[in-house]
Amino acid sequence: MTRTRQAGPPGRNRFIAFEPGRYVAFEIPSGRITGVASYLVEPTGAATCRLTSTVDFHVAGPAGFAVPLLTRVFKRDDEKALARLKELLERP
């Protein structure tokens, strides 16, 4: 699978777990940034749910010093993407 990011080249992912309608996990197996990420959907009511996004990444080589900055950037990007998803899903 090819994943499009807002910045940088497309990344290659490998799915490692899948439960339809509930959970997906994937591995980012190669490149400067590697790791595992997942999305979990949990019902919270009759017509509502909670989406939990988890990312555990590692940065290779001397760029490892940038991990705190990358963590903030990824979090900011995820928050924007999730806010947009919520907006789209709640449209009448």
Side-chain angles (χ1 to χ4, degrees):
M1 172 191 150
T2 301
R3 177 174 52 96
T4 303
R5 296 185 291 236
Q6 291 180 341
R12 300 289 295 175
N13 297 337
R14 182 173 57 214
F15 288 99
I16 56 176
F18 180 68
E19 294 176 35
R22 185 172 190 288
Y23 181 74
V24 62
F26 55 93
E27 176 181 44
I28 306 145
S30 61
R32 290 187 183 131
I33 299 175
T34 59
V36 177
S38 66
Y39 297 100
L40 173 66
V41 179
E42 298 173 287
T44 57
T48 60
C49 66
R50 174 181 300 114
L51 174 63
T52 303
S53 170
T54 304
V55 179
D56 180 19
F57 69 93
H58 307 279
V59 179
F65 75 90
V67 168
L69 174 63
L70 289 171
T71 299
R72 287 193 297 274
V73 169
F74 289 164
K75 183 176 180 179
R76 182 201 64 208
D77 288 350
D78 277 353
E79 287 171 354
K80 286 181 183 178
L82 292 172
R84 179 71 178 136
L85 176 61
K86 183 177 189 286
E87 175 186 316
L88 290 171
L89 292 173
E90 291 179 346
R91 277 188 187 167

